[in-house]
Amino acid sequence: MVTIGMGSELSDDAASPEAVETALRWLARRKDGEPLHFFRDAIENPAGEPATVLRSLVAPTASLAPELRAYAVWGLLVDEIGVAANSRRCHTLMAAFRIPPAPGGTAWKATLGDRFRQLMLPPGVFGDPPPTTPTPMHQAWRSSLAALAPSLGEKLAAGSDWPAYISIGRAADERTWRARAASQGAQPVFIERMLITAVMHRRTIRRRITERDIIACEDGVDGYDTHAAIGWEHDPEDLPVTALWGCRVVASPWVHPGDPIQARLRFRRRLRQGERYTFVSEALDGQLDEERRWLNVDIDHHGIEPGGLTIQLSFDAKHLPEACWWYSEQLEFERTRKPPDGDPHLLPVGDGFVRHTFVDGCHPRESYGIAFRWESSSPG
């Protein structure tokens, strides 16, 4: 359930028009990413520059679940721009914050000046004939920002209707992020949400429960092939996969020694293209004396939406790792290397509970996961 209200990390002046305007100017002038990316970075890494600059925008969402906060503030910003006073202001703000679609079906360019030049393409917005320089866009930007900052600050300070803005943010994100092309043999599903809960016994991942919310990419999808790839391989009887909800295990097609352990999870019905479905499965490992060094997710389907993959680990209280970190799109030997101290990939082990949400989308044919090093392990 989503809680509505302000977070305790918000100070009295955090959402002032001046603080909001400073944050918006910083976002608009970034060349290396879209606002949603920096909102996620600010929430994920509170010691980084985005967290400092964007505090006035992200702090009021502190009462929400971590994976929803960036969508909430992004949706609020998109909604405020959508009700701008006139067409010029709306188009200028869309360009400043890279809100799709860009003119002519193109993508927004890196610099603010180049994005304003793209606004010279649409007829009628900045006059007819269109201007030959971006001067009118820069003028509109100043007046638009002056109106946007106090309006945004008021809604942030009041405690906004977060569920509605989360929906707006998700919809805007779907128009922005696109997964890379999947391979011909990829499973015909796109995953909106995947939550993996792993329970360790000694140094082994004893239980791995996976909840999936998927969208069918074609008609007739009736199941999902899963395998318990947690950094090793066993015979099928050693690592059974169990259907917990919304599916049944009907086959284990890969039975040759050395093959990854897979099982077919059959759905309750065949899905139509675009239809959503939720199911839950579990993998158990009986090799309790073996040492695991990571929990890995292979993207053998059409991808996972930004913020859709969460991995949470519960370590054995008597066997805590020396270090723990998340990785994405790395070779196997790379993921075993501990990041240097202070690196944002490092995860505090604390009392043995570790959780990470991958804020960027997960692409087909890539791997994502959490790695850990035990005291007796050799340095990476």
Side-chain angles (χ1 to χ4, degrees), residues 60-274:
T61 67
S63 60
L64 302 176
E67 60 268 22
L68 300 178
R69 295 180 64 189
Y71 282 127
V73 66
W74 176 230
L76 174 58
L77 178 59
V78 170
D79 188 64
E80 283 294 291
I81 291 172
V83 296
N86 57 54
S87 180
R88 285 193 178 193
R89 287 189 177 182
C90 182
H91 279 78
T92 299
L93 292 171
M94 288 178 64
F97 300 108
R98 309 179 194 228
I99 297 174
T106 60
W108 289 114
K109 296 189 176 181
T111 70
L112 183 62
D114 283 342
R115 295 198 295 277
F116 284 167
R117 290 184 183 89
Q118 288 178 271
L119 294 180
M120 294 162 58
L121 297 175
V125 176
F126 283 89
D128 193 10
T132 57
T133 71
T135 299
M137 294 74 171
H138 285 280
Q139 294 172 341
W141 164 239
R142 288 191 289 271
S143 61
S144 301
L145 187 61
L148 176 64
S151 175
L152 201 61
E154 288 178 6
K155 292 193 174 181
L156 288 166
S160 300
D161 184 10
W162 295 130
Y165 293 127
I166 289 168
S167 296
I168 294 171
R170 285 186 183 277
D173 186 32
E174 289 175 1
R175 298 197 303 266
T176 304
W177 185 81
R178 292 291 181 272
R180 300 173 195 142
S183 63
Q184 188 173 6
Q187 301 196 67
V189 300
F190 178 79
I191 294 183
E192 288 189 305
R193 175 180 170 272
M194 178 186 287
L195 172 62
I196 299 174
T197 301
V199 180
M200 306 283 292
H201 179 76
R202 300 173 186 165
R203 298 185 176 186
T204 287
I205 301 176
R206 171 65 177 133
R207 302 176 61 201
R208 171 172 164 163
I209 300 172
T210 305
E211 305 173 36
R212 299 177 180 88
D213 296 327
I214 68 169
I215 300 176
C217 296
E218 60 185 39
D219 289 335
V221 176
D222 67 350
Y224 184 91
D225 292 328
T226 182
H227 61 95
I230 314 176
W232 77 98
E233 298 173 356
H234 288 312
D235 292 332
E237 60 270 19
D238 293 332
L239 188 55
V241 175
T242 304
L244 296 183
W245 193 85
C247 58
R248 293 284 185 268
V249 176
V250 296
S252 296
W254 307 109
V255 295
H256 299 294
D259 282 349
I261 309 310
Q262 298 203 22
R264 180 71 172 173
L265 299 175
R266 181 64 54 79
F267 302 153
R268 299 170 69 184
R269 64 180 185 274
R270 290 182 179 272
L271 306 181
R272 301 183 303 275
Q273 183 174 1

Side-chain angles (χ1 to χ4, degrees), residues 295-297 299 309 327-329 358 361-363 366-369:
L295 190 159
N296 186 61
V297 179
I299 309 301
L309 173 60
Y327 62 85
S328 63
E329 302 179 19
F358 292 79
C362 300
H363 293 282
E366 296 287 359
S367 295
Y368 303 80

Side-chain angles (χ1 to χ4, degrees), residues 20 29 69 150 168 182 208 254 287 310 331 360 380:
V20 172
R29 295 189 179 280
R69 295 180 64 189
I168 294 171
R208 171 172 164 163
W254 307 109
Q287 302 289 326
T310 296
L331 299 175
D360 294 322

